[in-house]
Amino acid sequence: MYIEASRRKNGDFARLTSPIISVSQKSTKCLTFWYHMYGPHVSALNVYTKTTTLGPAIWSKNGTQGNVWKVTKVDIQMNQSFSVSIQTYTDLLL
């Protein structure tokens, strides 16, 4: 997923949502991904789980994180089927 942070309107966002991940009993899944957040217009990158509705963020980074790619792992404990949404947006109110 990529969103250009410059030349955007305030509040622009991109969301990547996974297919449904089947879970029949409580289990832990591990989400691993790389991210690159650099520049004055970078606002936030959030990871959510969704069953029937989007839950609260289970992982979040805000602001510029340096001009490097970083890897992260997020453990997700669920007891029902779910999908994962990764959302990034820009904030031009600087």
Side-chain angles (χ1 to χ4, degrees):
M1 169 177 33
Y2 173 80
I3 185 170
E4 176 59 48
S6 60
R7 297 182 304 276
R8 292 284 161 210
K9 296 177 189 164
N10 186 45
D12 278 356
F13 72 94
R15 180 182 295 153
L16 180 65
T17 301
S18 76
I20 294 174
I21 300 161
S22 296
V23 175
S24 59
Q25 60 186 13
K26 188 172 184 176
S27 64
T28 301
K29 306 291 184 186
C30 181
L31 171 67
T32 303
F33 63 96
W34 289 81
Y35 64 95
H36 185 274
M37 298 172 64
Y38 178 70
H41 300 298
V42 171
S43 183
L45 179 64
N46 300 310
V47 176
Y48 304 92
T49 56
K50 180 181 179 183
T51 52
T52 54
T53 60
L54 202 62
I58 60 170
W59 182 92
S60 184
K61 283 288 180 186
N62 294 296
T64 190
Q65 300 294 310
N67 193 11
V68 295
W69 283 95
K70 296 183 178 188
V71 66
T72 193
K73 295 181 180 184
V74 181
D75 286 335
I76 302 171
Q77 291 185 342
M78 296 295 288
N79 59 4
Q80 62 183 316
S81 296
F82 67 99
S83 60
V84 174
S85 288
I86 300 174
Q87 181 173 312
T88 184
Y89 62 95
T90 59
D91 183 359
L92 302 182
L93 295 177
L94 301 175

